[in-house]
Amino acid sequence: GQQVMQIPQYQHVQEGEDFTTYCNSSTTLSNIQWYKQRPGGHPVFLIQLVKSGEVKKQKRLTFQFGEAKKNSSLHITATQTTDVGTYFCAGSTGNQFYFGTGTSLTVIP
Amino acid sequence: ETGVTQSPTHLIKTRGQQVTLRCSSQSGHNTVSWYQQALGQGPQFIFQYYREEENGRGNFPPRFSGLQFPNYSSELNVNALELDDSALYLCASSLSPWGGRTDTQYFGPGTRLTVL
């Protein structure tokens, strides 16, 4: 069945270091969305990418959608302690919606 | 805040019982989706309702059912509760169903269900 995997599962970085999480789908997605979930919280929408090869930036965050619309990445430059949380990619295909397995980011001050 | 509310916040039930969880979407959002999130895992799609009709369903048994009302509220009903149903249940509202440019989902705070 459809799977959306993310790597790494966990990432510990020193404050100021960069961070990247990769998202891979077993099938082509209509779009890709990224969410951040803080411990004890609910997913919060970050961004949506729709076009093949699309790149979007939000301050220190850069999001990419692969040419085949089966993979995506989120890159954070110069992490801060406020970046702590789990980052999920998510996408739709047909009338189904799939969340990735998530990458838990810990930022060490 | 997303403007999406859920009730109750926490709930404890015993195996075999039935439960109804409620969600109030953002005004104007005619699409609501429900997710189950087990501890340490990503949300799993249960189903989506668009204009009061089911618009997609994940890999969940029929004892998971839902309703959407014209006033932007919705319900998730689970019958014959099992221990594995213990999870955080999230609803999310959006302007349109999947694949559209306005399908950004706004999540509620969730209901933590514990089945004993």
Side-chain angles (χ1 to χ4, degrees):
Chain A
Q2 165 73 16
Q3 287 190 332
V4 181
M5 306 297 292
Q6 283 182 251
I7 55 171
Q9 187 176 359
Y10 302 97
Q11 185 78 61
H12 291 71
V13 299
Q14 288 288 139
E15 189 174 15
E17 290 183 336
D18 293 355
F19 160 76
T20 304
T21 173
Y22 299 91
C23 171
N24 292 286
S25 169
S26 57
T27 60
T28 302
L29 300 170
S30 299
N31 57 24
I32 196 87
Q33 297 177 354
W34 283 91
Y35 293 84
K36 176 184 179 181
Q37 186 173 22
R38 287 201 166 97
H42 57 275
V44 175
F45 173 81
L46 294 177
I47 207 160
Q48 174 171 284
L49 304 170
V50 179
K51 299 177 183 177
S52 169
E54 190 170 9
V55 178
K56 285 189 176 181
K57 292 189 176 184
Q58 283 182 351
K59 297 182 180 178
R60 296 179 293 105
L61 278 61
T62 302
F63 304 84
Q64 290 186 319
F65 199 11
E67 294 291 339
K69 301 183 80 172
K70 294 177 71 173
N71 56 73
S72 182
S73 65
L74 158 59
H75 179 81
I76 302 178
T77 304
T79 54
Q80 300 175 358
T81 54
T82 53
D83 295 327
V84 165
T86 300
Y87 292 84
F88 291 101
C89 63
S92 63
T93 173
N95 61 354
Q96 297 284 314
F97 196 75
Y98 302 93
F99 269 81
T101 48
T103 296
S104 176
L105 173 64
T106 300
V107 180
I108 305 164
Chain B
E1 293 301 320
T2 62
V4 180
T5 60
Q6 291 186 245
S7 63
T9 306
H10 297 86
L11 199 54
I12 299 175
K13 291 284 190 178
T14 56
R15 194 169 46 184
Q17 285 189 310
Q18 178 267 342
V19 69
T20 297
L21 309 181
R22 293 180 172 83
C23 171
S24 180
S25 299
Q26 275 195 26
S27 179
H29 282 194
N30 54 23
T31 305
V32 65
S33 304
W34 284 88
Y35 296 87
Q36 180 194 68
Q37 187 174 25
L39 203 60
Q41 297 184 21
Q44 297 293 313
F45 171 65
I46 302 175
F47 43 57
Q48 181 184 74
Y49 278 79
Y50 172 60
R51 294 182 175 177
E52 301 163 48
E53 297 283 336
E54 189 176 287
N55 186 52
R57 188 179 182 92
N59 189 27
F60 280 81
R63 59 189 185 85
F64 285 78
S65 63
L67 284 172
Q68 185 187 26
F69 305 101
N71 65 351
Y72 307 116
S73 67
S74 61
E75 291 179 355
L76 164 65
N77 299 289
V78 187
N79 293 323
L81 284 167
E82 301 176 0
L83 297 179
D84 284 350
D85 294 334
S86 295
L88 179 68
Y89 288 86
L90 297 159
C91 74
S93 75
S94 57
L95 274 170
S96 66
W98 312 134
R101 291 184 178 271
T102 57
D103 65 352
T104 301
Q105 297 184 92
Y106 299 89
F107 281 82
T111 294
R112 175 73 60 188
L113 173 65
T114 302
V115 182
L116 303 176

